[in-house]
């Protein structure tokens, strides 16, 4: 059985249970579990360790207990919007783009050293203009886009799968307003989580074709 680990902030957390680890919350992790669990019964164990409010530095602080000790075969990471958001609104506790890249690189270096066979998927941070973001929209858009570029850069350097999401949400916004997909410009609605799930599954099916994925 392969272990799939979902890591990130509130978008991944999505209200997951801290007592019943089979409850992955109300987001894309549960949708992925439902689809893969139905299509390949018993093939995967699913873990969600997303934590609401996390920045990349918070994720790095949890690297041993919530990544390395769990020994996942596949891990996906979605982190970055709080690194911007926590700098705004008078909090001034964000993580600038250069430090974001540096810490992300350290995290991936250490995970790959400890778990050389793990397959890692890096999800692109995203944002739309809505209630939580419109007040400082230019900053939100510019800074989240910077984190997206850094996430893609670290994925490329580590030869990892990168899953673009910003353009997908912009395309979706042409069909229905931003709030239909991201209720406040950051947190996905059911439909937004479905969008993430579909992209995640599409890229996951590509890494499954890599030889020896099913060898263990």
């Amino acid at each position: 059985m392969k272990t799939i680990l979902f890591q990130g902030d509130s978008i991944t957390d999505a209200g997951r249970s801290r007592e019943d680890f089979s409850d992955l919350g109300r987001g894309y992790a549960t949708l992925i579990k439902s689809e893969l669990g139905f299509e390949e019964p018993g093939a995967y164990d699913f873990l969600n360790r997303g934590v609401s409010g996390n920045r990349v530095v918070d994720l790095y602080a949890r690297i041993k207990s919530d990544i390395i000790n769990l020994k996942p075969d596949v891990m996906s990471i979605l982190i970055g919007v709080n690194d911007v958001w926590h700098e705004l609104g008078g909090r001034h506790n964000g993580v600038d783009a250069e430090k974001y890249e540096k810490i992300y690189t350290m995290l991936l270096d250490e995970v790959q050293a400890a778990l050389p066979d793990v397959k890692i998927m890096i999800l692109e941070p995203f944002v739309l203009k809505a209630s939580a973001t419109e007040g400082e929209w230019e900053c939100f858009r510019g800074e989240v886009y910077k984190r997206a570029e850094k996430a893609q850069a670290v994925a490329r350097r580590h030869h990892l799968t990168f899953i673009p999401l910003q353009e997908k949400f912009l395309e979706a916004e042409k069909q229905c307003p931003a709030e239909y997909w991201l209720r406040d410009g950051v947190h996905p609605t059911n439909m937004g989580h479905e969008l993430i799930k579909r992209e995640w599954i599409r890229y996951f099916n590509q890494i499954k074709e890599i030889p020896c994925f099913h060898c263990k």
Side-chain angles (χ1 to χ4, degrees), residues 117-138:
D117 295 327
V118 68
K119 299 185 186 304
I120 303 174
M121 304 163 69
I122 303 296
L123 281 66
E124 180 183 33
F126 51 82
V127 67
L128 292 177
K129 188 176 183 180
S131 60
T133 62
E134 60 186 356
E136 299 187 70
W137 173 239
E138 292 306 318

Side-chain angles (χ1 to χ4, degrees), residues 55-105:
R55 303 156 298 159
V56 72
V57 292
D58 304 305
L59 177 56
Y60 181 70
R62 300 190 286 113
I63 188 173
K64 190 73 164 61
S65 60
D66 283 349
I67 299 177
I68 293 172
N69 289 352
L70 299 177
K71 296 180 171 61
D73 298 286
V74 177
M75 175 175 63
S76 75
I77 305 175
L78 173 54
I79 199 82
V81 70
N82 285 323
D83 298 76
V84 176
W85 204 349
H86 286 202
E87 186 65 20
L88 305 177
R91 287 183 284 185
H92 306 299
N93 195 33
V95 178
D96 66 56
E98 297 304 318
K99 186 173 182 179
Y100 171 85
E101 182 178 20
K102 179 179 179 179
I103 300 298
Y104 216 148
T105 297

Side-chain angles (χ1 to χ4, degrees), residues 22-203:
S22 67
D23 176 3
L24 304 192
R26 302 180 299 277
Y28 71 91
T30 289
L31 297 176
I32 291 166
K33 176 182 178 179
S34 297
E35 181 163 331
L36 292 182
F38 180 83
E39 295 294 338
E40 301 181 64
Y44 305 105
D45 183 28
F46 301 91
L47 302 175
N48 185 353
R49 292 296 188 274
V51 175
S52 181
N54 265 197
R55 303 156 298 159
V56 72
V57 292
D58 304 305
L59 177 56
Y60 181 70
R62 300 190 286 113
I63 188 173
K64 190 73 164 61
S65 60
D66 283 349
I67 299 177
I68 293 172
N69 289 352
L70 299 177
K71 296 180 171 61
D73 298 286
V74 177
M75 175 175 63
S76 75
I77 305 175
L78 173 54
I79 199 82
V81 70
N82 285 323
D83 298 76
V84 176
W85 204 349
H86 286 202
E87 186 65 20
L88 305 177
R91 287 183 284 185
H92 306 299
N93 195 33
V95 178
D96 66 56
E98 297 304 318
K99 186 173 182 179
Y100 171 85
E101 182 178 20
K102 179 179 179 179
I103 300 298
Y104 216 148
T105 297
M106 290 169 56
L107 183 144
L108 294 174
D109 285 344
E110 293 181 31
V111 169
Q112 289 185 316
L115 305 171
D117 295 327
V118 68
K119 299 185 186 304
I120 303 174
M121 304 163 69
I122 303 296
L123 281 66
E124 180 183 33
F126 51 82
V127 67
L128 292 177
K129 188 176 183 180
S131 60
T133 62
E134 60 186 356
E136 299 187 70
W137 173 239
E138 292 306 318
C139 182
F140 254 111
R141 179 176 61 180
E143 291 299 320
V144 172
Y145 281 21
K146 287 181 184 178
R147 304 313 184 280
E149 291 172 358
K150 297 298 187 182
Q152 185 173 22
V154 297
R156 185 184 304 114
R157 284 200 303 271
H158 289 80
H159 308 289
L160 304 177
T161 298
F162 180 74
I163 304 179
L165 292 172
Q166 181 66 56
E167 189 61 34
K168 292 295 179 181
F169 276 109
L170 291 174
E171 291 173 4
E173 191 180 20
K174 295 175 183 177
Q175 303 176 52
C176 282
E179 293 85 349
Y180 187 83
W181 308 102
L182 304 178
R183 57 183 171 81
D184 57 1
V186 172
H187 297 95
T189 61
N190 292 343
M191 290 67 71
H193 279 292
E194 175 68 17
L195 183 155
I196 298 171
K197 182 215 80 172
R198 292 188 182 198
E199 291 305 299
W200 195 101
I201 292 288
R202 186 161 71 88
Y203 282 88

